[in-house]
Amino acid sequence: MRKKEVKKLLKENPEFEAWIAEDSMRVRAIRSNPSMTEQFFKRWNDRKRGRLDFDNISQKTKRASEMLTGVQSIMDMMANYTKKL
């Protein structure tokens, strides 16, 4: 790909551009070799189509677990309070 084509691709796909910008190594690779953009785009598209993103899933699971722990402690405090009455 030429630089002009890369700019057009990034302009048409702002989510792809954001994904590229997340990692400085990707940015450097594209700047040094614009033909790499096609490979990155294919990887991004495959990931977007339904490949499992385990990092994202584990982060969400951790947050849900923390929230449930907080709710459970509130419920325990309420149960202890009602027992004292």
Side-chain angles (χ1 to χ4, degrees):
M1 290 185 106
R2 295 182 307 208
K3 286 185 179 183
K4 190 175 185 179
E5 293 171 328
V6 171
K7 286 181 182 180
K8 183 180 177 185
L9 179 68
L10 293 175
K11 194 173 191 178
E12 290 173 352
N13 299 290
E15 293 174 350
F16 174 62
E17 184 177 12
W19 181 75
I20 292 291
E22 285 177 1
D23 187 6
S24 62
M25 295 300 288
R26 291 183 209 140
V27 174
R28 277 190 237 147
I30 288 176
R31 285 187 179 160
S32 65
N33 187 4
S35 61
M36 294 276 300
T37 306
E38 279 186 82
Q39 294 172 352
F40 282 124
F41 187 72
K42 287 177 185 175
R43 230 171 72 192
W44 175 75
N45 240 350
D46 288 344
R47 187 176 146 246
K48 185 179 162 192
R49 280 197 189 132
R51 306 265 178 166
L52 294 177
D53 183 7
F54 291 107
D55 291 332
N56 191 18
I57 292 171
S58 65
Q59 287 175 356
K60 288 181 180 180
T61 304
K62 183 179 177 184
R63 271 188 273 149
S65 175
E66 290 170 355
M67 283 182 55
L68 289 173
T69 302
V71 170
Q72 183 66 41
S73 67
I74 291 170
M75 297 291 283
D76 289 341
M77 286 180 2
M78 290 174 65
N80 288 339
Y81 180 74
T82 54
K83 285 181 185 176
K84 290 179 183 177
L85 294 176

